[in-house]
Amino acid sequence: METLNLFISSIFIDNMVFAFFFGMCSYIAVSKSVKTALGLGLAVTFVQTMTVPLNYLLNKYVLAPGALVEGVDLSFLSFIVFIAVIAAFVQLVEMVVEKFSPTLYSQLGIFLPLIAVNCAIMGGSLFMQQMVGAGEINNFGQSVVYGLGSGIGWWLAIVMMAAIRERITYSHIPAALKGPGIAFIITGLMGIAFMIFSGIQL
Amino acid sequence: MSSKSLKYLTGPLSGNNPVIVQILGICSALAVTVQLKPAIVMGLSVMAVTAFSNLVMSLLRNGVPARIRIIVQLVVIAALVILVDQVLKAFVYDVSKQLSVYVGLIITNCIVMGRVEAFALGNKPWASFLDGIGNGLGYALILVIIAFFRELLGSGCLLGFRLIPESWYINEGGFYSNCGIMLFPPMALILVGCIIWAHRSFNKDLQEK
């Protein structure tokens, strides 16, 4: 039940985009068509589901105080370790996908390098570390669930945004507001809509 | 200071602003702007990281092979961010707690990486350093504008000092109440949208067709 709650809350309540603004740069830049948004969302969800548990293991067995050597706190190294894991993993995925599935590679190809510097991925790992500290994530399974949930939340947000932006292509928007301006305001309104989920407890 | 170096500093303030024109580094720009103080601290931290990562990468630019430059950049930036994080924890602990994960997210802030890629790899160290300072200032400027409105309208204070007298509030018998929604994340997005709107109304060449 606790795990299901974590899953639901990481998608809707603590949504990466609407509650924490993670991954906004690519969210604004790539949300012009639904098809590309789906591709990027899929790639982000996959990388997120893999890197959060990987970083969970590293955090538990290497970085946490006294985990590696008794009395040594390596947690100040977590930024550099997490980003190294993410960058290496993205590189690895890129090579594997290129070798085994050229069609998927041609669809995802341009997005994969973008993901290494997507704040949603790094932010997911950092939040996971915080939630471990706060006792909200207690085991490996829950870290997988959190990674998957937060990835899906981001995916949902970017696809919804892309769908709305496709619809408003021909609307009469003030010239100065076209492009990023209206995108921000729409995201804000969607965020207000998502606030209705904030009371849900399973 | 020559006019060229001055341009590196002032260009990113308005016409080439990293946040509202290049749309980079939004993630952290919005989350830390509930109050003015964390916004200023965050702006200064990003400025320091951008300036020094530009400087270091510019010094290394002829020695790093192009194939592995991304990972080298990440290591340099991550090391600088760890330094900033430790300094914040040592000197302004309460703000560092408020900023929480967003200090770590300076690593993936697109401004830092973007300036290194676009500028530092092709320019001399001093120019790169100034460019980093300029872009950091442009980022800090937007943060301060957003935080100013959110703190003033959302809690009636600025930098923790009360500007709207207690006696004005409804529960004290007055007529005023805070605009509570300003403290929620969505309002930061709407404020950025409005800033972009205002900025592009004055700079017509930036408007999209």
Side-chain angles (χ1 to χ4, degrees):
Chain A
M1 212 57 193
E2 203 182 314
T3 313
L4 185 65
N5 202 10
L6 183 70
F7 185 64
I8 301 288
S9 81
S10 57
I11 296 180
F12 293 107
I13 304 167
D14 295 333
N15 186 289
M16 281 278 161
V17 174
F18 300 126
F20 301 115
F21 316 104
F22 285 165
M24 285 302 284
C25 313
S26 37
Y27 172 84
I28 298 286
V30 189
S31 63
K32 282 183 182 135
S33 88
V34 173
K35 209 174 160 216
T36 45
L38 272 171
L40 182 66
L42 179 66
V44 166
T45 310
F46 177 67
V47 175
Q48 182 86 310
T49 321
M50 292 300 172
T51 52
V52 170
L54 265 177
N55 283 331
Y56 172 82
L57 291 178
L58 275 170
N59 184 47
K60 190 168 178 192
Y61 294 109
V62 180
L63 296 170
L68 197 61
V69 183
E70 200 57 47
V72 178
D73 182 359
L74 290 178
S75 55
F76 71 95
L77 283 177
S78 44
F79 295 162
I80 209 160
V81 170
F82 287 176
I83 196 70
V85 167
I86 292 166
F89 186 80
V90 168
Q91 193 75 59
L92 196 73
V93 169
E94 200 179 344
M95 291 191 298
V96 170
V97 172
E98 189 179 12
K99 179 97 170 70
F100 291 105
S101 172
T103 35
L104 187 65
Y105 181 76
S106 61
Q107 279 166 3
L108 290 184
I110 45 163
F111 299 128
L112 282 169
L114 265 180
I115 293 173
V117 288
N118 188 322
C119 340
I121 309 285
M122 182 73 180
S125 289
L126 289 173
F127 262 120
M128 177 275 301
Q129 195 187 27
Q130 248 187 15
M131 287 162 84
V132 168
E136 288 167 47
I137 293 178
N138 302 312
N139 53 44
F140 182 71
Q142 286 185 343
S143 74
V144 178
V145 166
Y146 178 70
L148 182 65
S150 52
I152 292 177
W154 198 88
W155 191 359
L156 190 71
I158 193 171
V159 170
M160 280 163 52
M161 184 68 197
I164 295 178
R165 280 181 88 169
E166 277 191 0
R167 296 283 300 190
I168 61 167
T169 322
Y170 299 109
S171 310
H172 292 287
I173 300 163
L177 206 53
K178 268 189 187 154
I182 196 74
F184 277 113
I185 292 178
I186 292 173
T187 314
L189 295 176
M190 284 160 75
I192 292 176
F194 263 69
M195 277 163 63
I196 60 166
F197 290 116
S198 59
I200 293 178
Q201 276 285 330
L202 287 178
Chain B
M1 198 179 279
S2 67
S3 66
K4 206 176 161 197
S5 359
L6 201 64
K7 218 175 124 229
Y8 292 137
L9 280 179
T10 54
L13 288 185
S14 167
N16 198 19
N17 189 289
V19 180
I20 59 174
V21 178
Q22 304 172 40
I23 319 288
L24 295 176
I26 317 281
C27 329
S28 52
L30 303 175
V32 299
T33 51
V34 176
Q35 286 167 339
L36 202 49
K37 195 175 166 195
I40 292 172
V41 173
M42 187 69 183
L44 290 177
S45 314
V46 169
M47 195 168 85
V49 174
T50 323
F52 285 101
S53 64
N54 262 5
L55 179 68
V56 172
M57 284 315 294
S58 177
L59 287 170
L60 291 176
R61 71 185 189 280
N62 296 324
V64 178
R67 287 177 68 92
I68 59 156
R69 66 177 197 287
I70 303 270
I71 201 96
V72 175
Q73 287 163 14
L74 279 177
V75 170
V76 169
I77 295 168
L80 285 166
V81 171
I82 291 179
L83 281 180
V84 166
D85 184 45
Q86 299 291 321
V87 168
L88 289 184
K89 272 187 184 146
F91 293 102
V92 278
Y93 188 72
D94 51 328
V95 178
S96 150
K97 271 274 157 271
Q98 263 178 313
L99 292 175
S100 73
V101 299
Y102 292 98
V103 180
L105 287 178
I106 299 176
I107 298 175
T108 51
N109 191 319
C110 337
I111 296 175
V112 183
M113 200 77 168
R115 288 329 288 175
V116 169
E117 277 281 303
F119 197 88
L121 290 180
N123 285 282
K124 292 221 163 71
W126 175 237
S128 306
F129 185 74
L130 287 178
D131 180 77
I133 297 264
N135 276 282
L137 275 178
Y139 172 86
L141 181 71
I142 302 298
L143 249 70
V144 166
I145 294 176
I146 302 172
F148 175 82
F149 285 110
R150 285 183 81 188
E151 192 175 359
L152 184 63
L153 299 177
S155 50
C157 305
L158 273 186
L159 281 171
F161 294 108
R162 180 145 293 285
L163 284 191
I164 296 177
E166 296 277 358
S167 57
W168 285 16
Y169 282 93
I170 285 179
N171 50 6
E172 300 281 329
F175 56 91
Y176 184 82
S177 75
N178 283 327
C179 178
I181 198 169
M182 275 291 169
L183 301 177
F184 286 103
M187 278 318 283
L189 290 162
I190 294 176
L191 273 177
V192 177
C194 295
I195 292 175
I196 292 179
W197 189 1
H199 184 251
R200 293 197 177 184
S201 307
F202 288 107
N203 299 278
K204 294 218 168 10
D205 52 316
L206 293 173
Q207 293 177 1
E208 282 182 22
K209 270 136 227 128

